[in-house]
Amino acid sequence: MNTVDHLLAQARNNAWANRRLLAACAAVTQEQFTAPLGGFFGSLRATLNHILYVDWYYVDALEGGSLGPAAWRDEEPCKTPADLQREQAAVDQRLIVFCKGLDDTALGAPVRLIRADGDRIERTDRVLLHLFQHQVHHRGQAHGLLSTAGVEPPQLDEFFLNQDRGFRAAELGALGWQEEDLWRAWPAPGA
């Protein structure tokens, strides 16, 4: 698998994991959603909103936008799990579209990260790797907070293995995907 296909697979897995996590959040009460449960941001709502606004920031930068720090002007823009699910799905789709358009030249292209104390220039591939790592880190925190709230957290440590095809068919359908969409360069083994 080449780097471009790897990053596209990461973007799709990212969207799938976010969907799973936010679907599980539908089982929490608003009180559990906002309760001080610990973690870096204190509550499940604050943690999930952090994931969202950081995605807004980096995806906008990757797209050549100028959102910058305005992405986190409101640190909790989504007040309910349903609002978060809608907004996260939208930015996840933007990230997938961006990754579909990548080629080897685009991986090294500069990305302007607008910061209050001055812009930074980073490579596209490094920004993407950073963004995926950020997502995994904070989804793990939200996963733990769900458990603390008394809600069974979803399994998030899978990466589209062929042996799990039957378990994800409904979720892929809800995302508008088929199994064949997961791997651009070559079909999944046993497909």
Side-chain angles (χ1 to χ4, degrees), residues 96-120:
I96 290 167
V97 168
F98 178 81
C99 288
K100 281 182 178 178
L102 289 172
D103 59 25
D104 288 336
T105 301
L107 292 176
V111 175
R112 180 175 65 119
L113 301 177
I114 301 169
R115 298 287 190 183
D117 62 346
D119 295 356
R120 310 289 195 284

Side-chain angles (χ1 to χ4, degrees), residues 4-31:
V4 170
D5 291 332
H6 173 78
L7 292 169
L8 178 57
Q10 288 280 17
R12 286 190 171 120
N13 190 265
N14 181 65
W16 180 47
N18 284 335
R19 184 182 187 290
R20 276 188 162 186
L21 181 61
L22 290 164
C25 289
V28 301
T29 65
Q30 191 64 20
E31 184 177 85

Side-chain angles (χ1 to χ4, degrees), residues 37 44 46 70 76 79 102 108 113 127-129 151 160:
L37 299 173
L44 190 54
E76 291 189 24
K79 306 304 182 203
L102 289 172
L113 301 177
V127 170
L128 286 167
L129 291 170
V151 174
F160 303 137

Side-chain angles (χ1 to χ4, degrees), residues 4 60 74 118-119 123 128 130 133 159 164-165 169 177 183 185:
V4 170
D60 177 76
D74 179 354
D119 295 356
R123 288 172 47 109
L128 286 167
H130 171 76
Q133 182 65 30
F159 202 96
D164 300 322
R165 290 172 72 117
W177 304 344
W183 304 107

Side-chain angles (χ1 to χ4, degrees), residues 90-155:
V91 74
D92 288 346
Q93 183 58 38
R94 287 171 53 201
L95 184 57
I96 290 167
V97 168
F98 178 81
C99 288
K100 281 182 178 178
L102 289 172
D103 59 25
D104 288 336
T105 301
L107 292 176
V111 175
R112 180 175 65 119
L113 301 177
I114 301 169
R115 298 287 190 183
D117 62 346
D119 295 356
R120 310 289 195 284
I121 304 299
E122 295 285 351
R123 288 172 47 109
T124 296
D125 51 1
R126 293 176 186 175
V127 170
L128 286 167
L129 291 170
H130 171 76
L131 182 56
F132 295 133
Q133 182 65 30
H134 180 268
Q135 281 269 350
V136 168
H137 174 70
H138 290 300
R139 269 196 307 264
Q141 291 174 342
H143 189 273
L145 295 176
L146 267 177
S147 185
T148 301
V151 174
E152 174 115 15
Q155 186 167 349

